[in-house]
Amino acid sequence: MVQSAVIGSVKRLVPSPVRLWAKDILNARRVRRNPGRIALVVEILPAYAACGGRILWIGCRRYTKDYGRLLEKNGGECWTVDIELKHAKWGERGRHLTGDLLLIDQLVPAGSFDSVLCNGVFGFGVDTRPAQLAALRAMATILKPGGRLLLGWNTERIEDPLGLDFVQETFAGDDLTEHGTRWAIPEAGYVYEFLRRRDES
């Protein structure tokens, strides 16, 4: 009871914007310590950076602000997209789009990207099977033939996206890292899928 009274007093004294800022900082620190996120930064992003080309990172938050720099280490060009305008500040300056992933193929021309990195979106906004299918169709459209797709998803939030017929028809597994085409990180409840768009020519 004393603790709740103290918390109530702090909330009254600290302005709402300051509380939200502090919450965002704490969340970013928590996310960075997640085993799945560590694997992403230490191994996965460098693997995509080594491929170069035009890369699209989907979803921007405080903890993703350095991803563009990591992805451009080998001369690649990173673009970002987020559905919320307020998150544009964490995107790539001059190369950020605000829009819905399900309609990304209406924002950029077909075959625009060599790699599309979609992590932490399926299960955190793109949740239903129809939404997943729409997102995968849109991402396939903006990828070049043979282009790479990273799909990171939470095993406790959604069904396996690879169960969709569209994925099997449109993509093949990609041995981009030493972990094979699927890297499961059980302690994080997370899976990374490494996919490559089939070349239809």
Side-chain angles (χ1 to χ4, degrees), residues 109-185:
S112 292
F113 291 96
D114 297 283
S115 298
V116 171
L117 282 59
C118 180
N119 181 62
V121 178
F122 279 41
F124 292 89
V126 179
D127 305 330
T128 66
R129 275 314 219 202
Q132 291 171 30
L133 180 57
L136 286 158
R137 285 186 189 281
M139 290 188 287
T141 299
I142 65 171
L143 271 171
K144 295 176 181 178
R148 291 185 152 95
L149 173 65
L150 170 69
L151 192 60
W153 57 281
N154 189 299
T155 57
E156 298 171 357
R157 288 178 170 265
I158 61 166
E159 292 180 66
D160 187 340
L162 265 64
L164 291 165
D165 290 341
F166 176 78
V167 176
Q168 302 302 323
E169 295 162 2
T170 310
F171 294 97
D174 183 17
D175 288 317
L176 182 63
T177 74
E178 63 181 23
H179 300 280
T181 61
R182 168 176 282 200
W183 185 5
I185 305 177

Side-chain angles (χ1 to χ4, degrees), residues 86-136:
K86 68 180 181 179
H87 294 146
K89 62 186 175 183
W90 307 120
E92 289 299 297
R93 187 181 299 269
R95 294 194 304 274
H96 179 78
L97 306 167
T98 298
D100 190 336
L101 170 59
L102 278 60
L103 305 172
I104 189 68
D105 55 334
Q106 296 178 24
L107 289 176
V108 296
S112 292
F113 291 96
D114 297 283
S115 298
V116 171
L117 282 59
C118 180
N119 181 62
V121 178
F122 279 41
F124 292 89
V126 179
D127 305 330
T128 66
R129 275 314 219 202
Q132 291 171 30
L133 180 57
L136 286 158

